[in-house]
Amino acid sequence: WNLDRWDACALCGGMPSRPFVARLWRIRLERHRLRSLLRGATLLLGAVGANACRPVSTVPTGTQVPSSFDVTRPVSSRGQFLLYLPPDYNRERRWPLLVFLHGAGERGTDLVGPAVHGPPRLLREGKALPFVVVSPQVSGWNIWTTEWLDALIDDVTAKYHVDPDRIYLAGLSMGGYGAWQYAMEHPEKLAALVPVSAGAVPSGACALTHLPIWVFHGAKDDIVPLDRAKQLVDRIAGCKGTRVTFTIYPNAGHDAWTETFANPALYEWL
């Protein structure tokens, strides 16, 4: 009913009495009040839901902690990793991300393996690094796959204040193979690549001509021969790539990573 019309006409004859109109107004006011309450509750719940979807980091800084991801994309990907946030990490700036891939001997489910070598070992020993460091672990006889790594990198980038223009990928042995392969398939996502004691199928190497790469290998490596790395370096050079540095340790075998990741010059280069 149009209550304004009823109220005005109540002054003339033949219409409902004023008390009747007053009751209708009270009903109208109550209905308006209920609508306002419902609208306010809806806005409040929407705000709470939106804030719940925004990642708020409760991860302690300056130490390495277990973490995990579970992403549903075209293919479901889930796994675990060690996460390190720098001591002065905050959400007021974007941080570089260093992803480290372990070798075959460190596979498992206990998150002990990733910290045996490389940057996570330095962090375990108390060294501080100016990056968000993610050190995932694959289990059983699994190897690094591009789809899985891409899901991990996207998830970490979304949850933490990572600078998407400063994502660095490093790996040793099997992890170096995974790093090479990921870089060939997603060169646009990386700002630098550090493969150690590793090779890869060189057919995709020309995709890496723009990417800064520092390759490390031992001259006496009898697990992954030096030629495997040299083929990749030569292929990139043949594609007019000029941003590759190739360091060969003349007396090192397969373990070229201990000296590599202990070298402060590497982190300054990144």
Side-chain angles (χ1 to χ4, degrees):
W1 291 350
N2 187 329
L3 296 181
D4 294 326
R5 177 172 170 270
W6 277 103
D7 191 25
C9 291
L11 298 176
C12 40
M15 303 299 287
S17 66
R18 185 78 183 185
F20 176 76
V21 173
R23 286 197 299 272
L24 289 178
W25 271 104
R26 283 196 295 272
I27 292 171
R28 180 182 181 182
L29 289 172
E30 283 297 314
R31 186 169 58 188
H32 177 73
R33 188 174 69 86
L34 287 172
R35 283 176 177 171
S36 297
L37 288 172
L38 287 172
R39 188 180 301 113
T42 300
L43 292 173
L44 178 61
L45 288 173
V48 170
N51 287 330
C53 292
R54 294 174 185 167
V56 178
S57 173
T58 57
V59 177
T61 60
T63 187
Q64 210 164 211
V65 296
S67 190
S68 62
F69 76 104
D70 190 344
V71 178
T72 301
R73 311 208 303 184
V75 177
S76 178
S77 298
R78 62 177 59 88
Q80 57 183 358
F81 57 93
L82 292 174
L83 173 66
Y84 170 83
L85 302 180
D88 53 346
Y89 173 86
N90 59 64
R91 301 182 68 81
E92 296 176 0
R93 53 168 284 198
R94 294 285 178 179
W95 294 82
L97 170 63
L98 173 59
V99 180
F100 171 73
L101 308 182
H102 64 71
E106 292 77 58
R107 288 179 288 197
T109 58
D110 54 8
L111 285 179
V112 172
V116 171
H117 302 297
R121 175 182 176 175
L122 299 180
L123 297 172
R124 175 172 58 84
E125 294 173 347
K127 182 177 177 60
L129 292 175
F131 318 97
V132 174
V133 182
V134 167
S135 307
Q137 185 176 38
V138 292
S139 61
W141 292 98
N142 292 322
I143 60 173
W144 301 108
T145 64
T146 297
E147 179 69 30
W148 192 89
L149 287 173
D150 199 43
L152 167 65
I153 290 172
D154 284 352
D155 188 66
V156 170
T157 302
K159 287 180 178 176
Y160 303 96
H161 266 217
V162 168
D163 185 344
D165 294 325
R166 290 189 293 167
I167 297 177
Y168 313 128
L169 182 59
L172 63 86
S173 195
M174 182 186 80
Y177 275 86
W180 274 118
Q181 190 60 42
Y182 181 86
M184 290 179 192
E185 295 188 37
H186 293 287
E188 77 288 350
K189 285 195 170 184
L190 298 180
L193 177 67
V194 184
V196 183
S197 304
V201 177
S203 57
C206 288
L208 306 177
T209 54
H210 75 287
L211 186 65
I213 305 172
W214 197 345
V215 182
F216 297 87
H217 218 101
K220 299 179 180 179
D221 191 338
D222 58 354
I223 305 298
V224 181
L226 176 61
D227 282 349
R228 301 283 178 84
K230 191 174 183 302
Q231 287 175 4
L232 288 158
V233 172
D234 291 345
R235 177 63 67 91
I236 295 171
C239 299
K240 310 301 182 184
T242 59
R243 308 192 71 182
V244 180
T245 301
F246 191 14
T247 296
I248 302 172
Y249 302 114
N251 297 316
H254 191 48
D255 180 3
W257 49 81
T258 299
E259 186 171 354
T260 294
F261 291 111
N263 185 358
L266 171 63
Y267 305 101
E268 293 169 5
W269 176 76
L270 291 173

